[in-house]
Amino acid sequence: MTKNEIADVLTEIGTLLELQGENPFKVRAYQTGARALEAIEEAELARLIAADELKAMKGFGEALTQKITELHTTGRLGYYEKLTASIAPGLVEMLQIPGLGPKKIKAVHDKLGIASIADLTAACQEGRIAALEGFGEKTQEKILAGIRNREAYGKRHLWWDAWEVSAPIVAGLRALPQVKRAEAAGSLRRGMETVGDLDFLVAATEVAPVVEWFVTRPGVKEVTARGETKASVRFESGLQADLRLVPEEQFVFALHHFTGSKDHNVQMRQRALARGLSMSEWGLVPAEGEGTAKEKAERLKGRMADGRTITTEGALFAALGLNFITPELREGLGEIEAAEKGELPRLVEPGDIRGVWHNHTTASDGGNTLAEMVAAAEAQGWEYYGVADHSKSSYQANGLSEARLLKQIEEIKALNAAKRFKTHVFTGTECDILPDGRLDYDDALLAKLDYVVVSVHNVFTQDEATMTARIIRAIEHPGATMLGHLTGRLLLKREGYRVDAAKIIDAAIANRVVIELNANPLRLDMDWRLWRRAAERGLLCAINPDAHETAGLEHVRAGINAARKGWLTKESVLNTWPLPEVQRWLAKRK
Ligand code: DGT
Ligand code: CA
Ligand code: CA
Ligand code: ZN
């Protein structure tokens, strides 16, 4: 660990001890130690540790020296890990509320039993905080305002929500007469599951009217910056957006730069430097010679030293000996090496999708009937569509009893026989994985279905080993076709249950069970970071909207983003296969 990272750990230990009500001298020792550490050179720290001289220095001492040494050599600290685990996460989270320090948090915890931001909000609303000694009305109001700000402004946003804001802005910018090129860059363009802020980039003949248009969009609550070539706004939702205006010849360089990611950019810049070039948001210019990169770029006006101009990202990558890298892959995870060798995969695209499996109807907790859902699937142009309502144990979701499921199977058969829709309908279920790993219907009933999605919907608190064994038992059931939402996470809302993903992936491959990429923008589960390796080892993916109403089918788009970030090709995604192939594959599994 670097000394700054170590200093951060020490500071946090001080804060956590304060939360626990430790004596102030002990707390201060960590804070002082962190500051003393920051004043030492990195190399000097290594020398002091090696020579065992740290403990003799002012601000350290035996206990702290031992901890710093452990962090410096192993990157971990048992004491810190134990301390973190011993404190309720809700208390730590409360530290993020502006104006609320560890002492106050400890006080409300001790006196009122408050252990989460939700508890605290309720206590403020009921006036119980104001009544506490040392708090009062003013403090209570300040805490409430802090909670609101944290919610509105501190948070990241789902890709889907950010995209719904950004898409009409990009379209509107492009329609302005002054605008030559406009694009939304950043994490949104990379298809990240959550987005911190929006990054718009524009090349225009005239700046002022574009800025004026941007800052007057509906939903803009505050203009936080407004300059010659840049403006920033904050929407009602708390989402912030930057607009940058650049000369047209710089557009492609700025687009690449502001698309990121940072890791990708760093690697690209190193590659450029190895070729005697300096790469930046301004341009791709010779590293040698007079002036800054910006000055050189302004002189060259988007031309290379040899006179060629670069106006597309494809040309920019080519200038560095690379195939075009699609934004979703720009995470610094090996895409540059693959582009150099011409080994980038042809990623799955929205147009490749021929059907989806995991969807609900009004029979369980959906908002549209079977016929309405199938009509919407047909409107998507899909060849097939799977119905997977909840099973009987999901009583909160109106899960189907055996009799109701049998009736639904007959309904679907009749629908297919009547050829009312061009889309073939598969009969399925989203069958609960019971706490011990058994399935929620008996084998005979499961065998009557075309396919079975197995999912965990209750008892999320099992430890990792138990939950993993539970899911693997379900995967090993001969009736299981695919695993729904691997972790049950709800992005920005709820952590997933704990699982050993590698073991579950192994079991799925061994049992020829598909793992779903749940395309609900709140889920995107299994996570894109796990797909590349899993698919290389033979895992099949199903991109499933988990639609509860017809509009939910659109969410496949978010699933495609995640699949592309996971390097998935058409071949690895079951729902790009034509209907007869899917039917053969399902029949063979039986
Ligand atoms: P976000 O907004 O947190 O979801 O993530 P991004 O990736 O949109 O990040 P943002 O908005 O801070 O900046 C947009 C892009 O600009 C980022 O992906 C890469 C580039 N960028 C920003 N700051 C830096 C930096 O310090 N170094 C490098 N190499 N690139 C940067
Ligand atoms: Ca951003
Ligand atoms: Ca930004
Ligand atoms: Zn589910």
Side-chain angles (χ1 to χ4, degrees):
M1 245 188 202
T2 67
K3 71 169 184 137
N4 285 336
E5 287 167 343
I6 298 173
D8 287 347
V9 173
L10 296 184
T11 307
E12 204 186 330
I13 290 175
T15 309
L16 295 176
L17 289 175
E18 215 176 346
L19 262 183
Q20 280 192 329
E22 265 287 355
N23 94 50
F25 292 103
K26 195 167 167 186
V27 171
R28 207 165 316 136
Y30 283 94
Q31 292 162 348
T32 321
R35 250 175 283 133
L37 200 58
E38 277 163 357
I40 301 175
E41 295 290 339
E42 191 82 59
E44 175 66 358
L45 177 66
R47 195 193 65 76
L48 288 167
I49 289 175
D52 197 24
E53 283 174 17
L54 198 60
K55 62 175 181 281
M57 290 183 62
K58 195 165 177 295
F60 294 98
E62 197 74 59
L64 222 55
T65 298
Q66 180 267 322
K67 292 189 176 79
I68 293 169
T69 306
E70 196 179 327
L71 283 168
H72 192 262
T73 46
T74 69
R76 301 182 55 176
L77 180 60
Y79 170 76
Y80 170 62
E81 285 166 20
K82 271 206 215 97
L83 182 65
T84 315
S86 73
I87 295 174
L91 297 184
V92 179
E93 209 181 2
M94 277 191 244
L95 286 167
Q96 297 167 6
I97 300 170
L100 195 66
K103 280 201 199 71
K104 283 211 168 74
I105 293 172
K106 179 166 165 44
V108 298
H109 180 60
D110 290 350
K111 294 181 183 157
L112 300 174
I114 286 169
S116 68
I117 293 180
D119 290 350
L120 183 63
T121 311
C124 285
Q125 283 158 353
E126 290 157 19
R128 285 186 286 135
I129 298 293
L132 274 185
E133 203 196 326
F135 282 78
E137 283 290 343
K138 266 227 175 86
T139 308
Q140 176 170 287
E141 259 169 48
K142 228 174 83 190
I143 293 173
L144 260 186
I147 292 172
R148 275 196 296 269
N149 278 344
R150 179 184 164 279
E151 277 175 6
Y153 305 142
K155 237 176 40 184
R156 297 181 65 79
H157 302 263
L158 294 181
W159 180 88
W160 192 270
D161 296 341
W163 182 59
E164 285 190 327
V165 174
S166 80
I169 292 179
V170 172
L173 284 168
R174 286 182 183 153
L176 295 178
Q178 300 87 358
V179 170
K180 301 267 215 189
R181 298 178 74 175
E183 213 56 81
S187 51
L188 181 98
R189 184 163 182 245
R190 299 201 311 281
M192 279 296 273
E193 65 273 33
T194 66
V195 168
D197 70 354
L198 301 177
D199 303 279
F200 294 103
L201 197 66
V202 168
T205 50
E206 214 185 327
V207 168
V210 180
V211 170
E212 182 56 27
W213 183 86
F214 179 68
V215 301
T216 51
R217 283 314 79 216
V220 167
K221 191 175 174 200
E222 196 185 340
V223 181
T224 49
R226 189 171 180 167
E228 284 290 300
T229 57
K230 201 184 158 226
S232 300
V233 298
R234 182 155 58 212
F235 295 94
E236 306 278 1
S237 64
L239 181 64
Q240 308 201 40
D242 296 332
L243 169 75
R244 294 183 179 84
L245 289 122
V246 297
E248 198 178 358
E249 65 270 16
Q250 270 173 25
F251 184 85
V252 65
F253 304 104
L255 177 61
H256 178 270
H257 175 87
F258 289 109
T259 297
S261 67
K262 206 168 153 181
D263 289 346
H264 169 88
N265 286 358
V266 167
Q267 292 175 24
M268 287 291 284
R269 237 174 288 143
Q270 283 164 354
R271 189 177 172 88
L273 276 178
R275 286 166 171 66
L277 296 167
S278 158
M279 182 172 183
S280 68
E281 63 197 277
W282 313 108
L284 186 64
V285 299
E288 297 285 308
E290 283 291 294
T292 64
K294 184 181 176 195
E295 287 161 359
K296 288 179 200 167
E298 279 165 357
R299 271 202 307 275
L300 286 167
K301 288 201 171 299
R303 275 177 287 118
M304 295 286 287
D306 63 10
R308 277 181 301 153
T309 56
I310 295 180
T311 56
T312 65
E313 280 186 326
L316 179 55
F317 283 111
L320 294 175
L322 299 171
N323 284 351
F324 175 74
I325 301 172
T326 192
E328 297 93 322
L329 291 189
R330 299 183 199 167
E331 298 292 346
L333 297 172
E335 70 277 10
I336 295 174
E337 292 83 339
E340 175 173 45
K341 294 190 202 133
E343 286 173 0
L344 283 171
R346 181 209 168 281
L347 300 177
V348 61
E349 290 170 9
D352 294 333
I353 299 295
R354 294 170 188 261
V356 295
W357 280 280
H358 177 180
N359 307 288
H360 300 269
T361 72
T362 44
S364 64
D365 59 348
N368 288 101
T369 63
L370 174 67
E372 287 165 350
M373 293 302 281
V374 178
E378 184 184 51
Q380 293 280 344
W382 289 336
E383 287 172 32
Y384 48 90
Y385 181 77
V387 178
D389 273 313
H390 286 287
S391 63
K392 62 185 179 189
S393 288
S394 276
Y395 52 85
Q396 75 291 343
N398 191 24
L400 276 61
S401 64
E402 282 85 357
R404 288 175 63 217
L405 180 55
L406 284 167
K407 192 170 145 254
Q408 189 183 57
I409 294 173
E410 291 314 312
E411 253 180 83
I412 291 173
K413 279 187 183 155
L415 208 67
N416 283 330
K419 298 202 184 308
R420 194 172 140 201
F421 299 103
K422 285 198 225 56
T423 304
H424 176 79
V425 186
F426 285 120
T427 60
T429 174
E430 182 182 18
C431 185
D432 270 27
I433 302 175
L434 303 176
D436 63 1
R438 283 179 306 123
L439 298 186
D440 198 19
Y441 292 122
D442 64 29
D443 297 359
L445 180 51
L446 291 176
K448 286 193 168 56
L449 297 160
D450 292 324
Y451 71 100
V452 174
V453 183
V454 295
S455 302
V456 167
H457 285 126
N458 62 9
V459 198
F460 294 159
T461 50
Q462 287 174 336
D463 62 48
E464 182 179 307
T466 310
M467 185 60 90
T468 302
R470 171 184 181 183
I471 293 173
I472 289 178
R473 187 173 173 197
I475 284 175
E476 287 172 346
H477 190 293
T481 319
M482 58 182 83
L483 173 67
H485 43 71
L486 173 71
T487 72
R489 74 176 182 190
L490 298 179
L491 291 166
L492 306 174
K493 275 196 176 162
R494 177 178 92 195
E495 295 288 315
Y497 31 85
R498 281 154 305 188
V499 295
D500 185 332
K503 278 197 185 146
I504 292 173
I505 290 167
D506 283 345
I509 294 169
N511 292 281
R512 299 194 310 121
V513 164
V514 175
I515 292 186
E516 150 181 293
L517 200 174
N518 191 299
N520 185 311
L522 249 177
R523 294 185 182 267
L524 299 171
D525 184 13
M526 161 167 115
D527 191 274
W528 62 264
R529 292 159 190 84
L530 297 173
W531 277 110
R532 184 180 176 192
R533 222 180 94 69
E536 275 168 8
R537 299 178 50 234
L539 183 68
L540 273 181
C541 170
I543 300 174
N544 281 331
D546 194 355
H548 283 72
E549 60 281 306
T550 53
L553 298 179
E554 300 291 341
H555 290 157
V556 166
R557 166 83 198 251
I560 295 274
N561 282 342
R564 289 170 66 83
K565 292 193 83 61
W567 293 58
L568 290 181
T569 63
K570 211 171 139 174
E571 291 67 38
S572 297
V573 178
L574 185 67
N575 41 326
T576 66
W577 299 10
L579 177 61
E581 268 180 49
V582 169
Q583 283 171 318
R584 262 200 303 280
W585 184 83
L586 286 173
K588 228 168 55 191
R589 281 201 87 268
K590 289 244 167 197

